[in-house]
Amino acid sequence: MESRECKIGVYICNCGTNIAKVVDCEAVREYISELPQVAIARTYKYMCSNPGQELIIQDIKEQGLDRVVVAACSPRMHERTFRAALQTAGLNPYMFEMANIREQCSWVHDDPQAATEKAKALTQAAVFRVAYHEALEQMMVDMCPNTLVIGAGIAGLTAALELADAGQKVYLLDKQDHLGGNLARVDLTAPYLDSARDLLTERITRVKTSDNIELLLNSRLQELKGYVGNFSATLVSVDSDDTEENKAQKIEVGNVIVCTGYKEFPAERVTHFGYGKLPNVITSFDFEKMLRAGRIECKDGEIPNYVAIIHCVGSRSPEYHGYCSRVCCMTALKYVHEIKSAIPSCYVSDLYIDMHAFGKGHEDFYRRTSEVKTMFLMFGKGDHPIIRSAGPKDDCQMLIEVNEQLSGEVIEIPADLVILMVGMEAREDATETARLVNISQDKDGWFIESHPKLDPVATTTDGIYIAGTCVAPKDIPDTVAQARAAAGRILAKIAKGKIAVDAIYAEINEDSCSGCRICNELCPYSAIEFDDEKKRSHVLSVMCKACGACVAACPSGAIKGRHFTDQQMFAQIEGVLR
């Protein structure tokens, strides 16, 4: 492959000891500095830090560098950071390449010598590749400031109000005929026993009286077309049986926030608890109905003398869901206080696997609950209490046998009422929602964020955000924080007025295109359209994510991936193998 004259600066990051404890960074620097196109090579403890970035900026200006390679962590972590540094120094940000010598090298190898040799190869590959980089320019497209919020629970209400209070138009969509979602079914909230009704009433009143929020109840999303800043959504009305009516409405929006929430685990699936067979075995949401009605009673109308609460029904189980639903433990403790407040003489037993008291005020709440004479019984993971009807001589409705872990004994406790703490699971329509807005789900059906740590409200589809319990089980504070974060991200975009489109996308040479449409069917982002008049395909660059599926599949070789050209890829391969 022909060489290209350029001045490359190479920077090897120690990443504290993450890289340096396995890879000899100085040896990598010495090896790379001998390459003919490398003008300067340095090592530094933390390249992503401000001093590390300043080092690159200073060298670009003083040494006249026209390309930069950083050998450090994953590009997903800091590629944007270093591109911004290049831009600050006056160099096109796409004249940069990153070699991953942490996740792909130091973290997966124990042999320092082998890891160092691999780091040399990865860094050399980046040097060879960056020589063929081209200066690319981002495009700017106009943005519609309107936002569609799907789901009117506490997450949807919060996001809609944040946007509306900033003066932006919001369409708030929900299948149901009322606002509030799952929180509308709850009486009090842990750990301070605040009224859920009061929390919602304040937000619902503000939503209904806002001039910037258009409520679309008894409605669902039928189709979403377009790209970030320019989506066209088709909405249809649904009746009480969730069947579509013929009324369709089209709206133009720039962004979408999905806040569709969760559904409770169906307790009848856990057959050994007798839900649906024993009349006084109820779920946590059945009990919430009692609390909201203002009377705790058994099926026959009698006041219970013994109440047992069983945790992790459907959660933390290999048979059902392996994850923790997070809110169940504190909700169970909340029930203890509500039962004791309503029936002071009632004997309450709390049967748990582990007590999850994560969150502000939760540990104190657990301590206060133990002080109101609650009997805590711990059973093993994979084990479960056994419930049976009591005999005629017993003074209770049921008897619960539990292999108690702390005492090491099998204990039998009385119960007139058993409350099953059912966990959260993804909604039945989550897959359909994911398909409509082009986002992904994990193995449990929850929506997947762009990055679980660094970008927890965005998705891999630009302009589509997720918030609340459609992402994973979480409590109200985390849900509200996530909803506000999503709204904040959108307001930041709206403030700019235009959307910057990444310069990395696929291009089709129409002179070489045969019109076979293979790429149209393959594109996971629906970014390729077919022109019926020209009989040629073309890429909608604002929707393309440069995944390369079309480039690899095109039988005519008519598609080029910007920033991933054949020349660049071959150079990278040569650098690894030389």
Side-chain angles (χ1 to χ4, degrees):
M1 182 174 291
E2 65 179 37
S3 62
R4 176 178 288 191
E5 288 298 322
C6 49
K7 294 184 72 176
I8 303 172
V10 181
Y11 302 86
I12 296 98
C13 180
N14 293 342
C15 197
T17 59
N18 276 294
I19 295 173
K21 70 180 179 182
V22 180
V23 174
D24 186 343
C25 295
E26 188 59 31
V28 176
R29 187 200 67 78
E30 291 176 2
Y31 175 78
I32 293 299
S33 64
E34 298 298 322
L35 296 178
Q37 295 166 318
V38 174
I40 190 168
R42 299 182 187 271
T43 60
Y44 191 71
K45 189 171 184 178
Y46 291 108
M47 282 307 307
C48 62
S49 65
N50 286 334
Q53 294 177 56
E54 285 297 326
L55 193 64
I56 296 173
I57 294 169
Q58 185 177 345
D59 284 349
I60 291 172
K61 292 178 178 179
E62 295 180 358
Q63 304 286 335
L65 304 179
D66 56 17
R67 285 164 177 77
V68 171
V69 169
V70 174
C73 56
S74 166
R76 193 169 183 181
M77 289 287 289
H78 284 300
E79 187 173 51
R80 286 186 181 182
T81 303
F82 295 118
R83 280 184 180 172
L86 266 66
Q87 204 158 16
T88 301
L91 188 61
N92 187 283
Y94 293 95
M95 307 302 265
F96 168 77
E97 181 64 15
M98 201 163 178
N100 186 348
I101 62 170
R102 189 178 75 175
E103 286 86 342
Q104 293 181 357
C105 193
S106 68
W107 278 4
V108 293
H109 295 294
D110 297 323
D111 184 346
Q113 184 176 353
T116 300
E117 291 304 311
K118 182 175 179 180
K120 290 177 183 178
L122 291 171
T123 308
Q124 180 171 260
V127 171
F128 280 33
R129 185 192 201 279
V130 80
Y132 294 94
H133 280 202
E134 299 167 343
L136 305 176
E137 296 298 330
Q138 289 184 330
M139 293 189 303
M140 302 298 289
V141 296
D142 292 330
M143 175 179 175
C144 174
N146 303 338
T147 302
L148 172 64
V149 179
I150 305 175
I154 186 65
L157 293 172
T158 301
L161 286 169
E162 289 290 314
L163 292 161
D165 288 347
Q168 304 304 324
K169 174 76 175 181
V170 180
Y171 296 96
L172 183 55
L173 178 75
D174 201 289
K175 282 185 174 182
Q176 297 181 313
D177 60 358
H178 63 275
L179 303 172
N182 284 311
L183 189 56
R185 304 159 65 193
V186 174
D187 181 37
L188 304 180
T189 62
Y192 304 114
L193 302 182
D194 298 317
S195 168
R197 186 183 282 108
D198 290 347
L199 291 177
L200 284 172
T201 300
E202 181 266 341
R203 279 170 166 71
I204 289 172
T205 301
R206 287 171 58 197
V207 164
K208 288 183 175 179
T209 56
S210 174
D211 294 332
N212 292 324
I213 299 177
E214 183 175 334
L215 280 176
L216 299 162
L217 300 179
N218 291 318
S219 302
R220 64 177 289 272
L221 178 67
Q222 185 185 57
E223 186 179 49
L224 186 72
K225 289 185 175 180
Y227 50 89
V228 56
N230 295 273
F231 289 111
S232 177
T234 303
L235 314 176
V236 292
S237 300
V238 294
D239 59 22
S240 56
D241 297 324
D242 198 27
T243 55
E244 291 182 18
E245 298 178 358
N246 293 324
K247 300 174 186 176
Q249 175 184 358
K250 284 198 173 182
I251 59 172
E252 303 299 320
V253 295
N255 296 275
V256 179
I257 306 179
V258 181
C259 310
T260 48
Y262 72 95
K263 75 179 184 75
E264 72 268 25
F265 177 81
E268 60 271 13
R269 289 179 61 189
V270 188
T271 55
H272 49 255
F273 287 144
Y275 180 75
K277 297 176 182 176
L278 296 172
N280 290 311
V281 176
I282 64 173
T283 69
S284 44
F285 277 101
D286 294 332
F287 190 60
E288 291 287 355
K289 287 181 184 177
M290 285 190 193
L291 295 171
R292 288 174 66 84
R295 183 174 173 83
I296 300 172
E297 60 186 12
C298 299
K299 193 74 172 179
D300 57 9
E302 292 293 319
I303 303 299
N305 292 316
Y306 305 99
V307 176
I309 304 170
I310 301 177
H311 292 228
C312 296
V313 178
S315 303
R316 305 191 65 211
S317 165
E319 189 177 353
Y320 304 109
H321 299 302
Y323 54 79
C324 170
S325 291
R326 288 193 58 181
V327 301
C328 316
C329 286
M330 293 301 105
T331 303
L333 300 188
K334 177 196 77 166
Y335 291 161
V336 173
H337 287 270
E338 291 184 280
I339 293 166
K340 285 288 189 179
S341 177
I343 316 168
S345 62
C346 186
Y347 185 95
V348 183
S349 303
D350 188 288
L351 288 70
Y352 68 97
I353 298 173
D354 290 305
M355 187 60 67
H356 183 100
F358 167 79
K360 186 176 181 180
H362 288 184
E363 196 66 39
D364 288 339
F365 189 50
Y366 174 48
R367 177 184 51 77
R368 294 202 311 271
T369 307
S370 65
E371 291 171 356
V372 295
K373 297 182 179 179
T374 309
M375 186 172 192
F376 288 104
L377 301 166
M378 182 179 182
F379 61 94
K381 192 174 182 182
D383 191 11
H384 60 80
I386 298 171
I387 305 174
R388 68 175 189 274
S389 297
K393 295 183 180 179
D394 296 308
D395 65 341
C396 57
Q397 300 281 342
M398 293 165 285
L399 292 170
I400 304 175
E401 185 181 288
V402 56
N403 185 6
E404 213 281 319
Q405 296 293 294
L406 298 179
S407 65
E409 297 179 357
V410 176
I411 298 175
E412 192 172 71
I413 59 172
D416 295 320
L417 188 66
V418 175
I419 304 169
L420 305 178
M421 302 305 301
V422 289
M424 298 183 187
E425 67 177 17
R427 290 171 56 94
E428 302 96 325
D429 58 2
T431 300
E432 175 64 11
T433 302
R435 183 191 64 80
L436 287 168
V437 299
N438 198 22
I439 59 179
S440 302
Q441 295 173 275
D442 65 16
K443 62 182 177 60
D444 296 306
W446 306 111
F447 298 142
I448 297 177
E449 50 284 84
S450 176
H451 191 289
K453 302 291 186 188
L454 304 177
D455 211 355
V457 296
T459 66
T460 51
T461 299
D462 285 346
I464 308 295
Y465 297 87
I466 49 180
T469 52
C470 63
V471 184
K474 56 176 62 70
D475 58 9
I476 296 170
D478 284 358
T479 295
V480 169
Q482 201 170 26
R484 284 182 163 165
R489 291 287 298 276
I490 291 171
L491 288 172
K493 287 184 178 180
I494 293 173
K496 294 180 180 178
K498 288 183 178 291
I499 295 288
V501 178
D502 197 347
I504 304 175
Y505 53 84
E507 292 178 316
I508 297 178
N509 182 346
E510 291 189 2
D511 293 335
S512 302
C513 177
S514 65
C516 67
R517 304 196 193 190
I518 290 175
C519 57
N520 298 60
E521 300 298 326
L522 277 177
C523 181
Y525 301 100
S526 303
I528 304 177
E529 289 184 344
F530 186 76
D531 189 321
D532 289 318
E533 291 184 7
K534 294 182 179 179
K535 303 298 182 186
R536 299 288 186 271
S537 293
H538 65 276
V539 176
L540 301 173
S541 55
V542 290
M543 296 176 67
C544 177
K545 297 300 173 191
C547 68
C550 59
V551 180
C554 180
S556 305
I559 309 179
K560 169 189 172 183
R562 285 162 58 100
H563 205 61
F564 289 92
T565 64
D566 289 350
Q567 197 174 35
Q568 290 165 355
M569 301 310 295
F570 286 136
Q572 191 168 14
I573 293 168
E574 183 183 343
V576 169
L577 299 179
R578 177 176 289 187

